[in-house]
Amino acid sequence: MTKYEWETELKKNIHRLPPDEIKRVMEYYGELFDDYAERGKRETEIIGEFGNPVDVADKILSEYESENGELPKETIETVAPPPIAKKPTVEEPPKKISPTVEPKQTDAEISKIAVEREELSANAESKNETPSANAQQLSDSEHSEKRSMRAVLFVLLNIATGGAFFIVAGVIWILLGALAVSGAAMALGGVYVVITSIGVAVTSSVGSGIAQIGMGLASSGLGAALTIAVIALIKLCVRATKKMYAGLRDWLTAKKETV
């Protein structure tokens, strides 16, 4: 289906609307079609996004009816009667005027018109493809230049700051690792103290053994809590690091925005 056929079908199905409303709807879809064509889309793609003209017309009629309450009733055009011919001065029988019948188009003529429309549509599409291809080449060139400039800027910033970004990230990870090892060591040490204190309480001094058991339990509890907290921090740092490096990668590669 061509643009002309789609607009003709839409206009036929919204004929019940007021003339100014029909004009507004046709101008809207005409401007929208031109806008898509400037972006490089083909005529068939645009019509596919618009959808069936009958469905579009039904939607427009329902929206108009919901906003205005009622659609205008269909009117039947009245044809004025032909004027009464004056009688000739000489009495003669009036001549019968045969109605003019427009000749019907043959199948060959209809095929020829369809072929001409397709050729016009193909020419219009070919004209639209050339600027879009040139625009794509220009966009790729700008994208490559932007990516090179950002890479150079990133290198210069790292040289100027002495790689402070990577140094800070490395120090944070080293601290987290040290805290995790310390927590695990406290937990294991507390468990060892509890085990050895049981023997002390049984063999020598009960009070001293119980005190040592309490210290061991406290140490293991603190170590376990510290280890759990550090693991949670490590997970947060992993997510933050992934997002940071993903954003840095997108910035360096000058990732294109999609519309």
Side-chain angles (χ1 to χ4, degrees):
M1 179 180 288
T2 63
K3 175 188 176 185
Y4 173 79
E5 293 172 348
W6 192 90
E7 290 180 343
T8 302
E9 186 69 19
L10 176 64
K11 190 173 182 181
K12 182 178 71 175
N13 284 276
I14 61 172
H15 70 281
R16 294 179 61 187
L17 295 176
D20 55 346
E21 186 68 17
I22 294 175
K23 181 179 179 182
R24 185 189 68 79
V25 171
M26 300 308 297
E27 288 179 352
Y28 168 77
Y29 279 100
E31 293 175 358
L32 190 61
F33 189 97
D34 295 338
D35 183 42
Y36 281 141
E38 289 178 359
R39 295 182 186 180
K41 290 189 176 182
R42 299 177 179 272
E43 184 176 5
T44 53
E45 294 177 351
I46 298 172
I47 291 172
E49 291 188 8
F50 284 175
N52 192 334
V54 177
D55 296 336
V56 176
D58 291 340
K59 183 178 179 181
I60 293 171
L61 292 175
S62 62
E63 290 178 355
Y64 182 86
E65 187 174 4
S66 62
E67 292 177 359
N68 298 277
E70 187 178 4
L71 288 171
K73 296 181 179 180
E74 297 186 14
T75 58
I76 302 174
E77 297 181 358
T78 57
V79 180
I84 301 173
K86 295 181 179 180
K87 292 183 179 181
T89 54
V90 180
E91 293 184 358
E92 293 180 356
K95 295 181 179 180
K96 293 183 180 179
I97 301 174
S98 59
T100 58
V101 180
E102 295 183 357
K104 295 183 178 180
Q105 292 181 338
T106 61
D107 294 339
E109 292 176 349
I110 294 174
S111 301
K112 183 178 180 181
I113 293 172
V115 170
E116 291 177 354
R117 286 180 180 176
E118 291 179 357
E119 290 178 354
L120 291 174
S121 176
N123 292 333
E125 290 179 359
S126 62
K127 290 180 180 179
N128 291 330
E129 287 177 357
T130 302
S132 63
N134 294 333
Q136 182 66 27
Q137 292 178 357
L138 181 61
S139 176
D140 293 340
S141 177
E142 292 177 354
H143 176 68
S144 178
E145 292 178 1
K146 187 183 295 184
R147 183 171 55 189
S148 301
M149 291 177 63
R150 290 184 179 182
V152 172
L153 179 61
F154 180 74
V155 172
L156 292 176
L157 286 174
N158 277 278
I159 293 173
T161 58
F165 174 78
F166 296 101
I167 292 174
V168 171
V171 169
I172 291 173
W173 278 106
I174 291 172
L175 289 175
L176 289 175
L179 289 173
V181 173
S182 299
M186 288 178 64
L188 293 174
V191 172
Y192 177 76
V193 170
V194 169
I195 294 172
T196 56
S197 297
I198 293 174
V200 172
V202 172
T203 57
S204 59
S205 175
V206 176
S208 176
I210 293 173
Q212 290 180 7
I213 290 172
M215 293 176 59
L217 291 174
S219 176
S220 61
L222 289 174
L226 179 61
T227 303
I228 293 172
V230 171
I231 290 173
L233 286 175
I234 290 174
K235 290 181 179 180
L236 291 175
C237 288
V238 168
R239 294 176 185 174
T241 303
K242 287 181 179 180
K243 291 182 179 180
M244 193 168 11
Y245 278 101
L248 181 62
R249 183 185 65 247
D250 294 341
W251 183 77
L252 287 174
T253 56
K255 188 176 181 180
K256 297 181 180 178
E257 297 181 355
T258 57
V259 180

